[in-house]
Amino acid sequence: MENTILSARQLNLYYGENHALKDICIQIPEHQITALIGPSGCGKSTCIKTINRMNDLIDNCRITGRILIDDEDIYDPRTDVTLLRKRAG
């Protein structure tokens, strides 16, 4: 695959007991158009909110796994969330 700009590995997201995203693994290559498609309620928006760390604002939200942008873990405590949102957007 070309140079990977974003990858998710074994990504899981829980809203309390609700397991909303289950073992998401994806690699998105640089300079490629990528679409998330699926029926209503399948987790497309939740996945995008997770990449932008918008779920940080939701109580009872727990995330496991890793999301890397340019090989940097976006959930590393040292990540500047404002800069991340500029890059990921």
Side-chain angles (χ1 to χ4, degrees), residues 1 4 6 14 17 20-21 38 40 45 48 51-52 56 59 71-72 78 83-85 88:
M1 181 177 279
T4 300
L6 183 143
Y14 303 84
E17 295 297 317
L21 297 178
S40 177
S45 295
I48 291 170
I51 293 168
N52 284 324
D56 291 5
D59 291 335
D71 293 322
E72 295 179 23
R78 297 170 292 182
L83 291 176
L84 167 70
R85 290 180 183 146

Side-chain angles (χ1 to χ4, degrees), residues 13-72:
L13 180 134
Y14 303 84
Y15 294 121
E17 295 297 317
N18 180 25
H19 193 175
L21 297 178
K22 300 176 183 175
D23 292 324
I24 304 295
C25 292
I26 188 170
Q27 291 185 329
I28 298 177
E30 189 174 22
H31 304 299
Q32 296 291 319
I33 296 172
T34 304
L36 297 177
I37 59 172
S40 177
C42 74
K44 301 177 300 288
S45 295
T46 300
C47 187
I48 291 170
K49 286 192 300 187
T50 305
I51 293 168
N52 284 324
R53 288 193 53 179
M54 297 304 291
N55 288 313
D56 291 5
L57 308 173
I58 298 174
D59 291 335
N60 256 351
C61 182
R62 181 171 57 94
I63 297 167
T64 63
R66 294 182 75 192
I67 299 175
L68 305 174
I69 295 180
D70 291 329
D71 293 322
E72 295 179 23

